[in-house]
Structure formats: C-alpha cells, structure tokens
Amino acid sequence: MWSLAKIAAHIKGEVIGDANFEVTSFATLRSAQEDQISFLSNTKYKKYLSDTDAGAVIVSEEFVDLVPNNAIVVDDSYVAYAKAATLLNPTHTIELGVDNSAVVAENVNIPDSASIGPQVVIESDVVLGENVVIGPGCIIQRACHIDANTRLIANVTLCHDVEIGQDVIIHPGVVIGADGFGIANNKGRWIKIPQIGGVKIGNNVEIGSNTTIDRGALEDTIIGNGVKLDNQIQVGHNTVIGENTVIAGCVGIAGSTIIGKNCAIGGGAGLGGHLELVDGVQLTGMTMVTKSISEPGVYSSGIPAEPTQLWHKNVVRYRQMSKLTDRVKELEKLISKK
Amino acid sequence: MWSLAKIAAHIKGEVIGDANFEVTSFATLRSAQEDQISFLSNTKYKKYLSDTDAGAVIVSEEFVDLVPNNAIVVDDSYVAYAKAATLLNPTHTIELGVDNSAVVAENVNIPDSASIGPQVVIESDVVLGENVVIGPGCIIQRACHIDANTRLIANVTLCHDVEIGQDVIIHPGVVIGADGFGIANNKGRWIKIPQIGGVKIGNNVEIGSNTTIDRGALEDTIIGNGVKLDNQIQVGHNTVIGENTVIAGCVGIAGSTIIGKNCAIGGGAGLGGHLELVDGVQLTGMTMVTKSISEPGVYSSGIPAEPTQLWHKNVVRYRQMSKLTDRVKELEKLISKK
Amino acid sequence: MWSLAKIAAHIKGEVIGDANFEVTSFATLRSAQEDQISFLSNTKYKKYLSDTDAGAVIVSEEFVDLVPNNAIVVDDSYVAYAKAATLLNPTHTIELGVDNSAVVAENVNIPDSASIGPQVVIESDVVLGENVVIGPGCIIQRACHIDANTRLIANVTLCHDVEIGQDVIIHPGVVIGADGFGIANNKGRWIKIPQIGGVKIGNNVEIGSNTTIDRGALEDTIIGNGVKLDNQIQVGHNTVIGENTVIAGCVGIAGSTIIGKNCAIGGGAGLGGHLELVDGVQLTGMTMVTKSISEPGVYSSGIPAEPTQLWHKNVVRYRQMSKLTDRVKELEKLISKK
C-alpha cells in the first residue's frame, strides 16, 4: 500500500484530495477499482476520466477538474506514470549466487552480489560487474564483459568478446555477437570473411526478445548509451546506433549503417547498408530507406492497405503511369497546335 | 499398415475399389509409391492424378473417375487429408517423468502424466496440467500456468505469470511474456515503464518458431482460442487476437491493436498500434495497415516486383505525379477556353 | 606475426616492397597501425589509401601506385582479403569431448574428434560426423544427422530427423525442422496437418542467428550446397533453395517456393508461396514477390522514403490515379472533337 503523499513525493506532483489515501497498484481508467491508481496521458482516453472508479488519478493541470476522486497533478503525466509504476512494482527479488546446474569456467570471478541462474553457461575470461543477473539458460561465451546492474532475463546468447555496459536489460532469445554476413564471391562460390570485430553495447540500453546484433567484420558494432531496441530487430555488422535512439520491432538494419542520436524508427522499417542517418531522424512504420538522410525530420514510405480489388486496379494504373505521361505529353502538343 | 476401410471410417469417406487394400504412409501424387496414399485438393495438381502410382487417393466426387487405383471419396479432400495424415502419423511417444538434468522449483507439482525434458528450468509457483510436455531446454519462469495436453517442443521461454490454455503447441525459440516496449521520454532520456500485465493464451493455439508475444503494460495480451501463429511473428503488448484467426510468418503487430475473430493475415504484413480490425478481415502478404478496418473483406497494399530498370522509372514517375496532375489541370483550363 | 611473403603465397599475390615485413592483424585503411595489414576493394574508400598507416595493403594492380607502404597485388582484393583474414584469424581452439553437463542419449556415438558443449541435449538415434562442434545449449532432437566439420555455435535447435551436410556453420537461435504452417479449415475451426517431411541442408551452408527453417509437409525442405543465409530469415515448409544462393537478413519465404541457383535476395524481401524463381535472379531489399520469375535479372519493388508530408500527398495522388486517367481520357475526347 502506497499513500498518495508518498507517490506524489516520488513523482514531484501535488495531491489534490486526500494525501493519506492508499493505493495498491496501477490500472487503466476503465478497469481500475477504488484501491487502485490510474493516469491520463493519451487524450483519446479522456472520455473515461470522469467515470473512473480509480481511487486516484495522475493528470496534468488541465484535466484535474474532471477527476472524480483524488488526483496527483504533474507536468508530464506519462513520465509520472512511468516513475510511479516503477515505485509500486519493484523488481522481483532475485536469489544471489550461482545455481548448481550452471557451468562456469574456472577463471571467471562471480561477485557476491551477482545471480547466475540454472542451466547457464559462462565460458572462460568472462568479466561480470556487481549485481549482474544472468537468468536461466543464458550462454555467455568467452571473454565477454558485462557491467554492473545489467540483467539478462533468460535464454540470451552472447558470443565471444561482447561488451555490455551498466544497467542494461536484455530479453530472452537475444543473440549478440554472432558473425556478420560477410562473404566474398570466389569464382562462383561464396567464401567466408572472418568477422573479427566485436560488439559494444552502452549503458542503460534495453534489447527486446529475439533481436540479433552481429559482431563487426573488422571494427565493432556499436550501440550507444540509452538506446532502446524492441523485439526481432536485426542489426547488421559494423552498424552504429547513436545515443537515446529508439527502434520499434521487426526493423532490419543492413551492415555498416550509421544511425544518429535521438532517432525514432518505426516498426518494420528497413535500412540499407553503408547509409548515414543524422541525429533526430524519425521513420514511420515500414519505411524503406535506400539513401542516407542528412536532414532531421520525419520520413515515410509505403502505401497503406486498401480493399484488394481497388489495390489491383491501382497497381495496374501505377504500371501505366508511363503511358499516361505520354498521353498528357501528346495532348500538350496537340493543344499547342490548335 | 492401415486399410482403406479404416482410413475411410476415420475421415467419413467412401472407398471406391478395394477396402482391404493397405497403405503405409502419405505422399504427394508425383512421389507416391504403390503402398502409399495420396490426395488431391489443389486443382493445380490435377494433372498428376491419372499417372500417380499411389495405391489410393483421397478425392472429392468430381475427380473420382480420374483415379487410376483405389479412391476414398470425401466432401473436403484437404480436411480429410489432414485427418488421415494425423491417423497415420501418431505423435512420437514421449518419456514421462522429469529428466535428471531439469531444475524444478520445490513447490511445483509435476503430474505423473507430464514429461519434463533435459536442461529444463521450471521456477517456483508454476502450475502444470495433465499430459503437459515441456521439451528440452525450455525455461518456465515463476507462476506460469500451463493447462492439460499442451506441448512446448524445445527451447521455449515463458517469462513469469504467463497463462497457456489446453492443447496448445509451442515451437522452439518462442518467447512469451517478455516486457513490452514501454518507454517514456523524460527530458531527452527514455525511462522504462514497468510492464505489469500478463499474457493469456487460449486453447488449441499453435505458435511457430521464434515468434515473440509481449506481456501487457497494465492489462493482458490475449491470444484467443484456436488462433494459429506461424514463425517469427511479433505480437506487441496489450494486443488482442480473436478466436480462430490465423497469421502467417514475419507479421509485426504493434501494441494495443485488437484483431477480430476468423481473420487471416498474410506473411510479412505490418499492423500499427492502437488499431482495431473487425472479425473476418483478410490481409494479403506484406500489407501495411495504418488505420482501423471496420468492414470484413480482403485488403492489400504494396506494389509487386518488376525489373529494376522499370522500377527506377516508375519510382521517378510516382514522385512526378504532382506535376502530372498540374499539367492535366493546365490542359483542362486551356481546352475550356478554346 | 605473419610475413608478407607468407600472406602473398596464401592469396597468390605479389609483394611490392619488403616481403619480410611482418603484420599482426587486419584493420581498415583508416584505423590500421604500422604493424597491421589492410585492403582496398570498395573504391569508395580509395581516398583513404594514400594516407593509411597500415604497414601493408592488399590491392589490385591499378591502385598499387597509391599505396604508401608495402603492397600485395592480387586480382580480386576482396577475395584475397577474405583468404588472408582467414589465415590470420584461425578458428579458436575448441575442447574436444563431451561436457559433463551435456545430456546425450545412450545410442549416440560421439566421435573422438567432436566437441559437445555444456547444457547440450542430444536425443536418441542422432548421428554425428568427425570434427563436429555442438556449442553450449544446443538441442539436437532424435534422428538428426550432422556431417563432418559442421559447427553449431550455441543455442541452436534441431527438431527431429534433420539432415545437415559437411562444413556447415549454424549461428545461435536458429531453429531447423519445426513444423511448417499447415492447417485446414474444418467448418470454421483450423485443424493441424501433420508435418511429416524433413529438412535437408547441403554442404558449406551458413545460417545466421534466429533464422527458422521449417520441415516439409510431405516432402523435404531443401537448402542446397553453398547457400548462405543471414539472420532472421523465415524459410517455409517445402521450400527449395538452389546452390550458392545468398539471402540477406529478415527475408520471408512462404511455403513450397523454389528458388534457383546463384540467386541473391536482398534484406527484408518477401516471397509468396508456390512460386518458382529461376537461377540467377537478384532481388533488391524489401522487394515483394507475388509471381514466379522466369528470367534471370534484377528485380525490385517498393518506393523509398520521402519526407512524411510529401509522402502523405503522394499517397493521396496515388489513390486519385484513376480519376486522373479519366480526366486525361476526357481531354482526349474533347480535343479530338475540336
């Protein structure tokens, strides 16, 4: 149970109503019960505010009069929700020490503050920081470095010589440091180019499930501090992702592409290789990037869904654009003669 | 060996020919040998029917005269094939009990009818139904519930508090219940929003390899009964997928999108967040959905491949459509004056 | 330390300068130090050649005069780099034998030359060739065959009855042989079609992390010799990929599609089911293939990114193409009357 006073202090908000009122947990405006707290940030949900059963609601100044119960007024209700929800949902306690079933190489030092789960493999020359959590089934190959407070949830694979910063969260199924796609065509047969670069992941990075980040061919693949990657993203070798850039699910980034800081890349976007995107570029979902982008701003591509019959017709017309252009040219000639 | 009489009884079909004829296994019309049974459903393969060496063929009434050997006549030959192939290929026998190398938390009860494979991890407070099969290398984190007859083939990861229904099949590499992509921008830095919802998977669901299903932010991510998901699908937090909807490989679904019942989504399609698709929507492959769809029917997007030289030209013309429209407008003006 | 003479002998090149000069490792032209060797293949990097600190550079004849230090002259500098880098970076020594934590079925013979890592599972009737390496956490289900010199890096899952050739490399998170997406609609409910085919992978294949290759429905899914697959590729059941074809990351291939030899498929491309691509087809990134391709050549689709405001306008105009065509037709009529 958390009092509104305590929550307000944590999120630097002001209680309007009973500061001693206590809540158990967060819920949406529609589902919340009297002992729960909710929030309004997306104005799409404003319609649910006046009828909510939530015992308290985190809102910005402009909506406070609509709150039927207690309110906590803040500047940015979404950030306040993030912070309050973190307060109310502390990380589950994790057992320290090394599980009996883990296989840890002899020369690896496990800090007393670390947790190594069941069925884990830690190969030689791995270095682990304080409070590191290696969840069940993770494989850490030789000479990886994992800094303090970093958590690998479960079933994560780090290939050799991968460096992970502090306060990083890596979700299940992630593979970091596998060989990049380097091949050379030798008289019709493809031969492998050794991938001898590494991967460096900064601090405060989060990596979603089944995302893959390849090691560099000669130099390193680099993920900057504060980068947030969603699920099933593919990061090619020698890619560089700048600080605080966020990338949604299913994005594919070919090799040697450099993405600036504070970019936001929508789900399913595809970026070609050897490109450069400056800081502050935003891509909407499924955008196809084949050239470098030198100006910050929002970029898009793709034609959204339409009924299939119409789609067929439009595709046909698209392919006839050349003829249409010729017809217009012909008309222009004719009319100029008249 | 199965007699045609036995197979016909199982699929409610009628034998034309020798009901005592026995077959060993299924094969395609082209590759089948005399001791095998085949079927015709896609009429594209009708041309192979009269020359098949198959000892028996499952067909609908209209093609029975073309069958050179024995036939089993049914209403729906594809469904009959599915049922007969299931009869002829019973699930491989699985050893019951808990493998010595599995790590199972003390407070977890393993039914005698269950099978827990090698290198498995089952954390505390997990509840398993009768006949559950947890294949090698699976990780089941705390407080998951898995109902009767459900099979996790191998190397599946369930994060904490995930609920799986009965008769579900989950293929290798699947990750269910990892944190959704919830972040808030706090003065230029991204902070994490705790993902405190769960995941609920219904009965008779099948989930293909390396698919990821995130847990909800506040409420649950929900997969309805009878849903079939192919490989490498990404299901964002708070997504709801209605009963009997089928989704092909590589589809990405952003968060909080609600998909109706009996939908069919083609491979590589992308759905934006916070959308709603009614029951009975079909999307062809690689369709990009950016708005809700309120009418059942078939929807598409994307322009299919063309020779690259032509593609270049068409892209240029696409970008000149504005000018072309202006030219037509100009012509209209000119001609109205004449 | 490798002398230039030794390297030149290995790559069939000619040393221009000091053949006894020794280098430690490879680096890019820009980052190389005096004890390192570099190469020039992409002419984009020619500008860095004259200023490089590299002690030696592998180049083709035409650039040799620009090399400031020692040079090795070859016909194809990219292939030479691949070979020389392989020489300078021998595969890490792997401990032979079976790790104590591995669970190996009784009837499996492990060659003395093989290495079975920690937390591995090898089920019954598996056959392993000489020098096979099964890295940590791999799951090999019953009756798989893995030929000589093949390496599974870590956390790879092979479902039952998968056949892998010689000299294959499989990266972490790969799943081979899971059930294909075979379902039949039985009066509104989907029933499973048993997937009783297998998967056959040829020799000299490389498969990138988290790629999935489904087993066949009735016949096998087949990956030819020398095929190179990048990360997160989805290969549907009964797909056939011809020899020496290369496929970049995030490509989705629906079932029963046949891809020829020596094809090159760009990242994020999508191929529908039951198609046939002849030998020598190239697809650029994100191309959508809905029909068979019967002529070799380069094919593309998709409209690249543009500023979002412009994109909105172009999408609107795209949807108005029909009206525009009508207006042109109207003009043609009018002008023919005048």
Side-chain angles (χ1 to χ4, degrees):
Chain A
M1 301 285 280
W2 284 264
S3 71
L4 299 187
K6 192 168 179 181
I7 295 171
H10 186 73
I11 62 178
K12 290 174 185 150
E14 184 193 354
V15 179
I16 307 294
D18 178 5
N20 294 321
F21 186 85
E22 290 191 326
V23 294
T24 58
S25 57
F26 259 93
T28 62
L29 287 172
R30 267 184 291 180
S31 70
Q33 303 189 333
E34 216 198 318
D35 62 341
Q36 292 185 299
I37 186 167
S38 191
F39 72 102
L40 175 68
S41 74
N42 188 335
T43 53
K44 186 178 158 189
Y45 299 112
K46 186 183 144 189
K47 58 187 170 191
Y48 302 119
L49 183 54
S50 54
D51 285 337
T52 187
D53 290 330
V57 184
I58 297 172
V59 288
S60 61
E61 187 75 44
E62 64 176 315
F63 299 118
V64 68
D65 292 342
L66 297 172
V67 178
N69 257 300
N70 304 293
I72 301 181
V73 179
V74 294
D75 286 343
D76 183 331
S77 59
Y78 199 57
V79 167
Y81 150 57
K83 290 179 175 176
T86 304
L87 177 71
L88 269 64
N89 296 279
T91 309
H92 194 79
T93 308
I94 284 166
E95 222 173 308
L96 303 188
V98 180
D99 189 89
N100 282 335
S101 63
V103 176
V104 180
E106 275 186 27
N107 73 353
V108 176
N109 176 52
I110 309 288
D112 291 345
S113 59
S115 169
I116 311 298
Q119 318 288 21
V120 162
V121 176
I122 300 183
E123 295 186 357
S124 58
D125 302 316
V126 166
V127 177
L128 301 179
E130 296 290 333
N131 306 309
V132 158
V133 177
I134 308 296
C138 290
I139 312 278
I140 317 293
Q141 297 204 282
R142 67 194 143 81
C144 288
H145 285 226
I146 303 177
D147 278 1
N149 310 317
T150 284
R151 284 181 290 150
L152 279 56
I153 303 300
N155 207 11
V156 169
T157 306
L158 304 187
C159 298
H160 67 93
D161 292 286
V162 166
E163 293 181 28
I164 313 277
Q166 296 185 6
D167 298 295
V168 171
I169 301 173
I170 306 181
H171 292 288
V174 167
V175 178
I176 303 179
D179 280 353
F181 198 55
I183 50 178
N185 196 304
N186 186 25
K187 296 164 193 160
R189 294 206 172 182
W190 296 98
I191 60 173
K192 183 174 176 70
I193 295 172
Q195 303 291 300
I196 61 183
V199 179
K200 286 201 171 74
I201 311 276
N203 302 323
N204 296 302
V205 170
E206 185 162 354
I207 303 174
S209 44
N210 282 358
T211 280
T212 53
I213 302 174
D214 280 348
R215 67 188 319 108
L218 282 175
E219 299 185 320
D220 295 333
T221 301
I222 296 172
I223 312 293
N225 293 330
V227 167
K228 308 294 177 184
L229 302 179
D230 195 1
N231 299 357
Q232 297 201 34
I233 293 168
Q234 151 66 0
V235 180
H237 54 179
N238 298 105
T239 293
V240 176
I241 303 181
E243 292 188 10
N244 298 316
T245 281
V246 297
I247 304 184
C250 304
V251 167
I253 306 167
S256 300
T257 281
I258 298 173
I259 299 174
K261 299 176 186 176
N262 303 307
C263 293
I265 298 184
L271 286 78
H274 297 272
L275 305 181
E276 199 163 339
L277 275 62
V278 295
D279 298 350
V281 168
Q282 293 179 40
L283 303 177
T284 57
M286 295 182 88
T287 292
M288 165 176 163
V289 183
T290 57
K291 289 184 181 166
S292 291
I293 297 182
S294 55
E295 293 293 325
V298 193
Y299 296 81
S300 303
S301 74
I303 296 164
E306 47 193 348
T308 299
Q309 248 182 328
L310 193 54
W311 169 70
H312 274 305
K313 283 185 191 162
N314 279 328
V315 168
V316 169
R317 279 179 205 119
Y318 177 85
R319 299 210 193 283
Q320 291 171 341
M321 275 196 304
S322 169
K323 280 186 193 161
L324 188 65
T325 307
D326 289 347
R327 285 162 66 184
V328 171
K329 205 178 287 173
E330 185 61 27
L331 282 169
E332 286 168 340
K333 266 190 218 163
L334 285 172
I335 209 156
S336 71
K337 283 179 193 163
K338 296 213 172 185
Chain B
M1 301 287 278
W2 283 263
S3 71
L4 298 188
K6 193 168 179 183
I7 294 172
H10 186 73
I11 61 177
K12 290 172 185 152
E14 185 193 354
V15 179
I16 308 293
D18 178 5
N20 294 322
F21 187 84
E22 290 190 325
V23 293
T24 57
S25 57
F26 259 94
T28 62
L29 287 171
R30 268 183 292 178
S31 69
Q33 302 190 336
E34 216 199 319
D35 62 343
Q36 292 186 297
I37 185 167
S38 190
F39 72 102
L40 174 68
S41 73
N42 188 335
T43 52
K44 186 178 157 188
Y45 299 113
K46 185 182 143 189
K47 58 187 171 192
Y48 302 119
L49 184 52
S50 54
D51 285 339
T52 187
D53 290 331
V57 183
I58 297 172
V59 288
S60 59
E61 186 76 44
E62 65 176 311
F63 299 118
V64 68
D65 291 342
L66 297 172
V67 179
N69 257 302
N70 304 293
I72 302 181
V73 179
V74 295
D75 287 343
D76 183 331
S77 59
Y78 200 56
V79 167
Y81 150 57
K83 289 179 177 176
T86 304
L87 176 71
L88 269 62
N89 295 278
T91 308
H92 193 79
T93 308
I94 283 165
E95 219 174 312
L96 303 188
V98 180
D99 188 90
N100 282 335
S101 63
V103 176
V104 180
E106 276 186 25
N107 74 352
V108 175
N109 176 53
I110 308 288
D112 289 345
S113 59
S115 169
I116 311 297
Q119 316 290 19
V120 162
V121 176
I122 300 183
E123 296 187 357
S124 58
D125 303 316
V126 166
V127 177
L128 300 180
E130 296 290 334
N131 306 311
V132 158
V133 177
I134 308 295
C138 290
I139 312 278
I140 317 294
Q141 298 204 280
R142 66 195 143 80
C144 287
H145 285 226
I146 302 177
D147 277 2
N149 310 319
T150 284
R151 285 181 289 150
L152 280 57
I153 303 301
N155 207 11
V156 170
T157 306
L158 304 186
C159 298
H160 67 92
D161 293 286
V162 166
E163 294 180 27
I164 313 277
Q166 295 184 8
D167 297 295
V168 171
I169 301 173
I170 307 182
H171 292 287
V174 167
V175 177
I176 303 180
D179 280 352
F181 198 55
I183 50 178
N185 196 303
N186 187 24
K187 297 164 192 160
R189 293 205 174 184
W190 295 98
I191 61 174
K192 183 176 176 69
I193 296 171
Q195 303 292 300
I196 60 184
V199 179
K200 285 200 172 75
I201 310 276
N203 302 323
N204 296 303
V205 171
E206 184 162 354
I207 303 175
S209 44
N210 282 357
T211 280
T212 53
I213 303 175
D214 281 348
R215 65 189 318 109
L218 282 176
E219 299 184 322
D220 294 333
T221 302
I222 295 170
I223 311 293
N225 294 330
V227 167
K228 308 294 177 184
L229 302 180
D230 194 1
N231 298 358
Q232 297 202 33
I233 293 168
Q234 151 65 3
V235 180
H237 53 179
N238 299 105
T239 293
V240 176
I241 302 180
E243 292 187 11
N244 298 318
T245 282
V246 297
I247 304 185
C250 305
V251 168
I253 305 167
S256 300
T257 281
I258 297 172
I259 298 173
K261 299 175 187 177
N262 302 309
C263 293
I265 299 185
L271 287 79
H274 298 272
L275 306 181
E276 200 163 339
L277 274 63
V278 295
D279 297 351
V281 168
Q282 293 180 39
L283 303 177
T284 57
M286 294 183 89
T287 292
M288 165 176 163
V289 183
T290 58
K291 290 183 179 166
S292 291
I293 296 181
S294 54
E295 293 294 326
V298 192
Y299 296 81
S300 304
S301 74
I303 297 163
E306 47 193 348
T308 299
Q309 249 183 326
L310 193 54
W311 170 70
H312 275 304
K313 282 185 191 162
N314 278 330
V315 168
V316 169
R317 278 179 206 120
Y318 177 85
R319 298 210 193 284
Q320 291 171 340
M321 276 195 303
S322 170
K323 279 185 191 157
L324 188 66
T325 308
D326 290 347
R327 283 162 69 183
V328 171
K329 206 178 287 173
E330 185 61 26
L331 281 169
E332 287 169 338
K333 269 191 215 160
L334 283 172
I335 210 157
S336 72
K337 282 180 194 162
K338 294 211 172 186
Chain C
M1 301 285 279
W2 284 263
S3 72
L4 298 188
K6 193 168 180 182
I7 295 171
H10 186 73
I11 62 178
K12 290 174 186 152
E14 183 194 355
V15 179
I16 308 294
D18 178 5
N20 294 319
F21 187 85
E22 290 190 325
V23 294
T24 58
S25 56
F26 259 94
T28 62
L29 286 172
R30 268 184 291 180
S31 69
Q33 302 189 334
E34 216 198 319
D35 62 342
Q36 294 186 297
I37 185 167
S38 190
F39 72 101
L40 175 69
S41 74
N42 187 335
T43 53
K44 186 178 158 189
Y45 299 113
K46 185 183 143 188
K47 57 187 171 192
Y48 302 119
L49 183 54
S50 55
D51 285 338
T52 187
D53 291 330
V57 184
I58 297 171
V59 289
S60 59
E61 186 76 45
E62 63 176 315
F63 299 118
V64 68
D65 291 341
L66 297 171
V67 178
N69 257 302
N70 303 295
I72 302 181
V73 179
V74 294
D75 286 343
D76 183 332
S77 59
Y78 200 57
V79 167
Y81 149 57
K83 290 179 175 176
T86 304
L87 177 71
L88 270 63
N89 296 278
T91 308
H92 195 79
T93 308
I94 284 165
E95 220 173 311
L96 302 187
V98 180
D99 188 89
N100 283 334
S101 64
V103 176
V104 180
E106 275 185 28
N107 74 352
V108 175
N109 176 51
I110 309 286
D112 290 344
S113 59
S115 169
I116 312 297
Q119 317 290 20
V120 161
V121 177
I122 300 182
E123 296 187 357
S124 58
D125 302 317
V126 166
V127 177
L128 301 180
E130 295 292 332
N131 306 309
V132 158
V133 177
I134 308 296
C138 290
I139 312 278
I140 317 294
Q141 298 205 280
R142 65 194 146 81
C144 288
H145 285 226
I146 303 177
D147 277 1
N149 310 318
T150 284
R151 284 181 290 151
L152 280 56
I153 304 300
N155 207 12
V156 169
T157 306
L158 304 187
C159 298
H160 67 93
D161 292 286
V162 166
E163 293 180 30
I164 313 276
Q166 295 185 8
D167 297 295
V168 171
I169 302 174
I170 307 182
H171 292 287
V174 167
V175 178
I176 302 179
D179 280 353
F181 198 56
I183 50 179
N185 196 304
N186 187 24
K187 296 165 193 162
R189 294 205 172 183
W190 296 97
I191 61 173
K192 184 175 176 70
I193 295 171
Q195 303 292 300
I196 61 184
V199 179
K200 286 201 172 75
I201 311 275
N203 302 324
N204 295 303
V205 171
E206 184 162 356
I207 303 176
S209 44
N210 283 356
T211 280
T212 53
I213 302 174
D214 281 348
R215 68 188 317 108
L218 282 176
E219 299 185 320
D220 294 333
T221 301
I222 295 172
I223 311 293
N225 293 331
V227 167
K228 308 294 178 183
L229 303 179
D230 195 2
N231 299 357
Q232 298 201 34
I233 293 168
Q234 151 65 0
V235 180
H237 54 181
N238 298 104
T239 293
V240 176
I241 302 181
E243 291 187 12
N244 298 318
T245 281
V246 296
I247 304 185
C250 304
V251 167
I253 305 167
S256 299
T257 281
I258 297 172
I259 299 174
K261 299 176 186 177
N262 303 308
C263 294
I265 299 185
L271 286 79
H274 297 272
L275 306 181
E276 199 162 339
L277 275 62
V278 295
D279 298 350
V281 167
Q282 293 179 40
L283 304 176
T284 57
M286 295 183 87
T287 292
M288 165 175 163
V289 183
T290 57
K291 290 183 180 165
S292 291
I293 297 181
S294 54
E295 292 294 326
V298 193
Y299 297 81
S300 304
S301 74
I303 297 164
E306 47 192 347
T308 299
Q309 249 182 327
L310 193 53
W311 170 69
H312 274 305
K313 283 184 191 162
N314 278 331
V315 168
V316 169
R317 278 179 206 120
Y318 177 86
R319 299 211 192 286
Q320 291 170 341
M321 275 194 306
S322 170
K323 280 185 191 161
L324 189 65
T325 307
D326 289 347
R327 284 162 67 184
V328 171
K329 205 177 288 173
E330 185 61 25
L331 282 169
E332 287 168 339
K333 268 190 216 161
L334 284 172
I335 210 156
S336 72
K337 284 179 191 164
K338 294 212 173 186

